[in-house]
Amino acid sequence: MRSRNNFFPVTKAPCIGLRIVHTAGILLLLVASTFGQDRGITIEGDDLTLKEAFEQIEAQSSYTIAYNMSRLDSTQKRSFLLRNAGIDEVLRELLQGTGWSYYIEENHIIMVQKKEPAKKVTQRIRGRVYDKQTRLPLPFAAVRIRNERAESVLTDEEGFFEFTGLPPGRYDLRVSCLGYESFLYNEIILISGNMPFVEIGLIENPFPLDEVVITSPTRKEQPFNPMILAGGRMISAEESSRFAGGFDDPARLVTSLAGVEGSVGDNSVIIHGYAPHLLGWRLEGMEIANPNHFADLTTMGGGIFSALSSEVLGSLDFLTGAYPAEYGNALSGIFDMQLRQGNNLHHQYSIEAGIIGVNVAAEGPLSEKKEASYLFHYRNATFALIKNFIPDMEINNFGYQDPLLNSGSLTKRETLYRCGE
């Protein structure tokens, strides 16, 4: 007995052939479809609209383009020169500068509008710091904001302050000022639609300070001339003007020093018993004669009034012995006087009247670039002026005039001096 398979044999070859043909057809369709999509696109022309460019893309490929006509301005014209370019390159060129982008889903190109990044919301805190009792503003008070950046500002002359660029949130302010109690302002709510303005009053908190003592570094025992090692002393013009009965005369002032003796009726100076005419006088480094009015009337070397006012004198050195080599022609002592410089920043004027005479002085800058200045002083005897108004008054040979001009810079000086008339 034979098997049924021997009578009805089963042949599978034709079915396998059909399946192979079907699979090959599908592959050919996919390749053709892919080739059609990846085929280069050419767009050339001047003044082409986006709508016309989109139509050329649809004509040269299997893609369809979808976009919102009310939002995308497809009528704007541009010039294009694209040859055998891929779909991505073409779309990037078309949408450049429009604010639009795209994405591809199968054979559909969908245009989407780019989303702008959200702007960072910031706000400001403004305020004013004042004295709680007087209500006056407090300038230069330190205001510190307590956040992760720990920012701080100073109030202006009106007491106002401001913080900028703060994100919304809750903030605390600490305010401090010298002489006042510190203050903490809590829970300032900062939102985007509200800019807070805070007023902070501080309570005065005075505290005692240690005593401040200001001393002058001037050493009067050290002369102005560095060559003087012993037997010298520096005297300022202010000292002679403050000396009681000194008539602004430094010669009368030195009579109070040890080893120096003077006279009540004149300004003669006797040093260690030497006669007054043995005293040497120097002005601006030059030896001068006895600079006194009515000299040698009662005593040789003395006089009644000094021809040099304390208004024009700077510093002077008084030597009683051990003279340096630059000094000579003196046995008892030396008066080495210097004239002061005028004010090289501002003009100043003064007038003074007294028993000695009427003084008029002026000083000020000559040139700001060279720091040059001038100093002018004029003195006329009081009795000579009275005689002009009272002719019958018997005053003979008691008049004098002292003009003086000192000008120059700190490095070069010129002095014009004249006394007596």
Side-chain angles (χ1 to χ4, degrees), residues 107 154 160 173 205 220 253 260 420:
N107 291 343
L154 295 178
F160 292 99
L173 297 181
N205 183 25
K220 296 181 180 180
L253 172 64
V260 183

Side-chain angles (χ1 to χ4, degrees), residues 22 59 259 269 273 289 298 323 327 352 365 375 381 390 404 408:
H22 179 70
V269 179
T298 59
Y323 317 132
Y327 300 107
E352 180 180 344
L375 172 62
I390 308 176
L404 185 141

Side-chain angles (χ1 to χ4, degrees), residues 300-372:
M300 288 293 295
I304 305 300
F305 303 117
S306 174
L308 297 173
S309 172
S310 60
E311 292 288 335
V312 298
L313 288 177
S315 61
L316 59 93
D317 292 337
F318 178 62
L319 287 74
T320 58
Y323 317 132
E326 63 179 288
Y327 300 107
N329 202 22
L331 293 178
S332 64
I334 298 292
F335 258 114
D336 189 1
M337 299 176 291
Q338 304 289 332
L339 298 176
R340 70 177 181 89
Q341 284 289 103
N343 192 332
N344 61 350
L345 297 178
H346 306 286
H347 293 278
Q348 296 180 183
Y349 310 95
S350 65
I351 183 171
E352 180 180 344
I355 299 176
I356 301 176
V358 178
N359 301 331
V360 178
E363 57 183 297
L366 287 176
S367 174
E368 295 182 357
K369 296 182 180 179
K370 297 182 178 180
E371 297 183 353

Side-chain angles (χ1 to χ4, degrees), residues 109-246:
I109 301 175
I110 302 173
M111 300 295 172
V112 293
Q113 193 171 9
K114 293 181 180 179
K115 294 183 179 180
E116 296 182 359
K119 294 183 179 180
K120 185 178 180 180
V121 179
T122 60
Q123 191 54 274
R124 297 183 296 173
I125 296 178
R126 299 176 63 248
R128 175 176 176 267
V129 181
Y130 62 92
D131 188 307
K132 197 169 186 179
Q133 183 176 3
T134 62
R135 305 291 297 183
L136 295 176
L138 292 179
F140 311 113
V143 184
R144 185 181 182 88
I145 190 169
R146 301 177 63 182
N147 61 359
E148 59 275 5
R149 292 184 292 180
E151 301 178 35
S152 61
V153 296
L154 295 178
T155 57
D156 58 14
E157 295 181 354
E158 300 297 328
F160 292 99
F161 67 90
E162 180 178 358
F163 290 96
T164 60
L166 299 176
R170 296 175 182 268
Y171 295 91
D172 299 334
L173 297 181
R174 177 174 291 277
V175 184
S176 59
C177 185
L178 184 63
Y180 290 84
E181 296 181 358
S182 298
F183 184 82
L184 181 62
Y185 198 104
N186 293 314
E187 296 294 328
I188 299 178
I189 301 176
L190 191 63
I191 59 177
S192 60
N194 181 28
M195 181 178 63
F197 183 89
V198 296
E199 290 190 292
I200 302 174
L202 299 184
I203 301 176
E204 187 176 4
N205 183 25
F207 53 89
L209 298 175
D210 295 335
E211 182 182 11
V212 178
V213 180
I214 301 175
T215 58
S216 174
T218 303
R219 298 178 58 186
K220 296 181 180 180
E221 68 276 4
Q222 182 177 356
F224 183 77
N225 190 342
M227 297 299 295
I228 302 175
L229 301 179
R233 186 184 189 277
M234 186 184 69
I235 299 175
S236 63
E238 289 78 7
E239 287 182 280
S240 60
S241 63
R242 295 196 304 265
F243 186 68

